[in-house]
Amino acid sequence: QKEVEQNSGPLSVPEGAIASLNCTYSDRVSQSFFWYRQYSGKSPELIMSIYSNGDKEDGRFTAQLNKASQYVSLLIRDSQPSDSATYLCAVIGDTGGFKTIFGAGTRLFVKA
Amino acid sequence: DAGVIQSPRHEVTEMGQEVTLRCKPISGHNSLFWYRQTMMRGLELLIYFNNNVPIDDSGMPEDRFSAKMPNASFSTLKIQPSEPRDSAVYFCASSSDRANEKLFFGSGTQLSVL
């Protein structure tokens, strides 16, 4: 079983719709969770972090965490063509260090 | 701040040759990570350092790979001898304890082994 799993997609949504991206992780003691965005040919960049159960909102982005279900999600409201990218879920376990493990990523296409 | 700086941006080499990738982390960051990204395997953690000390190298695929961090501002990832299956994009990333573990990535090195 992979440590961090994501549906590879592609996920296609129309402009203005809500895009929902999901991630599950296997290490039950994981404490820190991140969403990175990666445009084609570019490096990943952090867009959201979440550390406690519940929702965290930042502009059009909302991260959701459910530690009991070992589930993290990212919602993108009012999706724009510029949101088309690969979204990587990342997890840090409770190892005392900063070992960040990434999922394979979900490709998102927003159609104009 | 200039961000994480990697060199070279592109490297094309022949099978069996030695390849050295370089990374300068963001000043003040005390953790440095080397990742490899391929279509098939995604973004894999190879090794990470904290305060210049290798903490976890369990992701290094085999003895042909080695990494060093001689000081806080420089790290290398070496492949000797290189093989075609090593072709990938290699990313370096850095983080600071004060940045809540968020990673800042370099632009990556696109490695092609022929």
Side-chain angles (χ1 to χ4, degrees):
Chain A
Q1 180 188 8
K2 292 184 180 179
E3 293 183 69
V4 181
E5 296 210 46
Q6 296 181 253
N7 186 325
S8 62
L11 172 66
S12 183
V13 300
E15 184 175 0
I18 295 175
S20 178
L21 306 165
N22 305 313
C23 170
T24 58
Y25 59 95
S26 61
D27 186 352
R28 185 167 291 278
V29 298
S30 297
Q31 295 295 322
S32 304
F33 307 87
F34 308 88
W35 284 99
Y36 287 77
R37 177 177 61 199
Q38 186 176 24
Y39 291 113
S40 180
K42 302 296 185 182
S43 55
E45 57 179 341
L46 180 74
I47 54 172
M48 289 287 288
S49 60
I50 187 166
Y51 304 97
S52 55
N53 282 329
D55 295 359
K56 178 181 178 183
E57 186 175 318
D58 184 0
R60 295 186 296 112
F61 299 97
T62 298
Q64 299 174 316
L65 174 61
N66 183 325
K67 290 187 179 180
S69 300
Q70 295 175 239
Y71 178 87
V72 191
S73 66
L74 178 70
L75 300 178
I76 306 175
R77 290 181 300 282
D78 189 24
S79 296
Q80 301 297 309
S82 59
D83 295 327
S84 298
T86 296
Y87 290 80
L88 302 165
C89 175
V91 175
I92 297 179
D94 185 22
T95 61
F98 299 108
K99 182 174 180 178
T100 305
I101 304 299
F102 284 82
T106 299
R107 294 179 65 193
L108 172 66
F109 291 103
V110 180
K111 299 174 293 184
Chain B
D1 198 317
V4 177
I5 299 173
Q6 290 187 247
S7 64
R9 289 295 305 275
H10 303 276
E11 176 79 33
V12 180
T13 190
E14 293 186 348
M15 182 174 63
Q17 296 299 305
E18 177 179 296
V19 175
T20 299
L21 310 181
R22 298 172 176 80
C23 176
K24 176 179 170 55
I26 292 173
S27 177
H29 281 192
N30 59 345
S31 293
L32 183 140
F33 304 75
W34 283 101
Y35 286 89
R36 177 174 68 178
Q37 188 173 40
T38 60
M39 289 292 292
M40 291 296 294
R41 301 177 67 89
L43 197 60
E44 302 174 278
L45 178 63
L46 300 178
I47 185 171
Y48 84 96
F49 297 83
N50 186 255
N51 294 322
N52 311 336
V53 176
I55 302 300
D56 188 331
D57 65 354
S58 59
M60 295 287 262
E62 48 196 278
D63 292 345
R64 297 184 297 105
F65 286 70
S66 63
K68 294 181 180 179
M69 191 164 186
N71 58 62
S73 59
F74 184 66
S75 177
T76 60
L77 177 67
K78 183 177 294 186
I79 308 172
Q80 166 63 20
S82 58
E83 296 184 2
R85 60 193 169 118
D86 302 330
S87 298
V89 179
Y90 290 80
F91 286 106
C92 175
S94 70
S95 177
S96 91
D97 295 348
R98 294 181 299 279
N100 294 323
E101 310 146 312
K102 302 168 188 174
L103 296 180
F104 295 82
F105 282 81
S107 298
T109 295
Q110 174 74 61
L111 174 64
S112 298
V113 183
L114 307 177

